[in-house]
């Protein structure tokens, strides 16, 4: 057994498969073990304890009972006879096997069921035949590895195609989402520009009105100092300014919302908001208190330059429409 094992290991066979083959063939020699290894190429190696030794098939080479030998032959569809059998032959493919163990493995692998006893004696392999068998086995294993490599490459290629397609689909979805977001951002920027332009125009108009008011005040004070006659400014521009800030009549009633720009008397960035025309002036004070910590709803007061008007605490319950602030107005807030 040791010599057979050493010979098989020297031929390059795996140690676990060598032990499996020797035990499965009942340690009957080098040729049965090699046949077993070739027959079971590619099969997983079982636990050695679970491998049962095969029963002998050749009555002249085995020390077993006639009943056991007959049972082994019967499992392959054979009947014992008086002719001395040297081997077992597969009637379906013509292969000749040294013993029933190898023949049974062939039957399990190929599905062949027809076997017959043969007087053909299988001679032990010569060194050249062993080398040829080993080369054949290695060639088969190389071909098997190559087939697996080709199959793996095909699977990898198919997976890569699927991955690229999925990535392309995700890229299209992402691109569409980015495009929609860009359009949304552009629309928002456009609205912001319009709002900023309106706010700048209102601030510019307020600055001009303040400059004009200061000029009128300066002229009046100068006239008083020099005892000159005070000449009031033309009524038409004032009326025009009043009509621009608070339209009267039916037109003023048509506006459901009022846009307000609120400037702090202490300076700083003005605040803008849009409220319902029916909202009370107190709601403007509450909005401003929410924007600035220096504003108290109960103490803040509002004024309007054009037309010049001061709103008191009694005006807080009145609506923006009643106070003539629709559709838009500029208020000056003074925190107390």
């Amino acid at each position: 057994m040791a010599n057979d094992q050493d010979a098989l290991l020297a031929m390059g066979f795996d140690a676990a498969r060598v032990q499996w083959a020797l035990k499965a063939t009942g340690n009957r020699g080098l040729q049965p073990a090699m046949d077993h290894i070739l027959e079971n190429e590619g099969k997983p190696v079982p636990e050695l304890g679970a491998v049962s030794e095969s029963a002998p098939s050749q009555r002249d080479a085995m020390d077993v009972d006639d009943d056991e030998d007959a049972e082994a032959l019967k499992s392959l569809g054979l009947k014992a006879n008086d002719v001395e059998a040297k081997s077992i032959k597969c009637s379906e493919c013509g292969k000749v096997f040294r013993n029933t163990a190898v023949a049974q493995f062939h039957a399990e692998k190929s599905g062949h069921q027809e076997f017959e006893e043969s007087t053909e004696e299988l001679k032990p392999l010569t060194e050249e035949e062993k080398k040829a068998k080993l080369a054949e086995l290695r060639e088969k294993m190389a071909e098997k590895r190559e087939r697996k490599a080709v199959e793996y490459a095909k699977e990898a290629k198919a997976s890569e195609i699927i991955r690229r397609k999925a990535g392309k689909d995700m890229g299209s979805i992402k691109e569409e989402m980015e495009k929609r977001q860009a359009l949304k951002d552009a629309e928002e920027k456009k609205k912001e520009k319009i709002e900023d332009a309106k706010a700048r125009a209102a601030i510019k108009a307020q600055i001009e009105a303040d400059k004009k008011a200061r000029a009128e005040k300066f002229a009046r004070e100068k006239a008083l100092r020099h005892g000159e006659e005070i000449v009031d400014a033309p009524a038409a521009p004032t009326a025009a300014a009043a009509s621009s800030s608070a339209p009267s009549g039916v037109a003023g009633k048509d506006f459901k919302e009022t846009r307000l720009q609120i400037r702090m008397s202490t300076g700083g960035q003005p605040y803008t908001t849009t409220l319902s025309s029916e909202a009370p002036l107190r709601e403007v004070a509450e909005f401003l208190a929410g924007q600035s910590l220096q504003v108290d709803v109960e103490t803040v007061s509002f004024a309007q330059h054009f037309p010049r008007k001061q709103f008191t605490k009694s005006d807080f319950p009145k609506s923006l429409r009643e106070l003539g602030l629709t559709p838009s107005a500029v208020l000056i807030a003074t925190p107390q």
Side-chain angles (χ1 to χ4, degrees):
M1 171 182 175
N3 292 336
D4 293 340
Q5 181 174 343
D6 294 341
L8 291 169
L9 292 174
M11 294 171 65
F13 293 113
D14 180 68
R17 291 190 176 277
V18 170
Q19 293 178 0
W20 178 24
L22 290 173
K23 185 173 182 181
T25 57
N27 298 314
R28 300 187 182 286
L30 186 61
Q31 182 62 46
M34 183 177 291
D35 291 340
H36 179 276
I37 292 174
L38 294 175
E39 289 290 339
N40 293 274
E41 176 190 354
K43 292 183 178 180
V45 179
E47 292 290 337
L48 198 61
V51 178
S52 59
E53 295 185 8
S54 62
S57 63
Q58 306 299 329
R59 284 187 294 240
D60 58 342
M62 326 234 355
D63 188 15
V64 294
D65 295 333
D66 292 341
D67 292 340
E68 293 178 353
D69 187 42
E71 186 65 28
L73 294 174
K74 185 178 180 181
S75 66
L76 293 173
L78 301 174
K79 293 182 179 180
N81 53 50
D82 296 334
V83 180
E84 182 179 0
K86 302 292 185 180
S87 58
I88 298 175
K89 182 178 182 181
C90 177
S91 303
E92 297 183 36
C93 65
K95 288 186 178 181
V96 180
F97 306 100
R98 187 176 299 276
N99 53 50
T100 55
V102 181
Q104 285 174 342
F105 281 119
H106 173 73
E108 293 173 1
K109 183 177 180 180
S110 63
H112 296 171
Q113 300 296 326
E114 299 295 330
F115 292 85
E116 61 185 51
E117 291 184 336
S118 173
T119 57
E120 181 180 350
E121 184 177 2
L122 296 177
K123 297 180 180 180
L125 294 177
T126 63
E127 290 298 325
E128 290 75 11
E129 289 174 335
K130 290 178 183 179
K131 291 179 180 179
K133 280 277 188 181
L134 179 60
E136 180 183 356
L137 178 60
R138 287 176 175 172
E139 183 179 352
K140 288 182 178 179
M141 294 177 69
E143 291 177 356
K144 186 175 182 180
R145 285 194 295 269
E146 185 177 354
R147 287 195 302 270
K148 287 185 176 181
V150 172
E151 292 175 0
Y152 177 79
K154 289 181 179 179
E155 292 176 358
K157 185 176 180 180
S159 299
E160 180 65 16
I161 292 173
I162 294 173
R163 186 189 67 79
R164 288 183 179 180
K165 186 177 184 301
K168 185 177 180 181
D169 293 342
M170 288 298 295
S172 300
I173 294 172
K174 184 178 179 181
E175 183 179 353
E176 181 64 23
M177 291 178 66
E178 289 176 350
K179 187 183 296 183
R180 291 182 181 179
Q181 186 63 40
L183 292 175
K184 184 178 179 181
D185 293 343
E187 187 66 25
E188 291 293 333
K189 287 182 179 180
K190 184 178 179 181
K191 289 182 180 179
E192 289 176 2
K193 286 182 179 180
I194 293 174
E195 295 296 331
D196 290 343
K198 289 181 179 179
R200 285 194 297 270
I203 293 171
K204 185 177 180 181
Q206 186 64 49
I207 292 173
E208 293 296 328
D210 292 345
K211 286 171 63 177
K212 185 175 181 181
R214 286 195 297 269
E216 292 176 357
K217 182 179 179 181
F218 178 76
R220 184 177 285 104
E221 291 175 351
K222 182 179 178 181
L224 289 173
R225 285 196 303 269
H226 294 83
E228 298 175 355
E229 183 181 357
I230 299 175
V231 180
D232 293 332
T238 305
S243 63
S244 64
S245 60
S248 59
V250 178
K253 296 180 180 178
D254 292 340
F255 293 99
K256 295 182 180 180
E257 293 183 340
T258 299
R259 179 175 176 80
L260 297 174
Q261 182 185 61
I262 308 168
R263 301 177 62 201
M264 301 297 297
S265 61
T266 56
Q269 183 71 21
Y271 302 98
T272 59
T273 184
T274 300
L275 300 173
S276 170
S277 297
E278 303 302 326
L281 185 61
R282 182 181 181 83
E283 191 168 329
V284 180
E286 292 173 350
F287 162 76
L288 191 58
Q291 302 297 318
S292 175
L293 295 176
Q294 61 178 327
V295 176
D296 188 337
V297 176
E298 302 300 330
T299 59
V300 67
S301 62
F302 297 99
Q304 187 179 20
H305 286 315
F306 294 98
R308 186 177 295 277
K309 186 175 182 181
Q310 185 74 31
F311 299 101
T312 64
K313 194 69 176 291
S314 61
D315 294 319
F316 273 30
K318 297 179 181 179
S319 68
L320 301 179
R321 190 189 304 278
E322 291 180 82
L323 296 174
L325 299 176
T326 55
S328 63
V330 178
L331 296 177
I332 307 300
T334 304
Q336 300 295 330

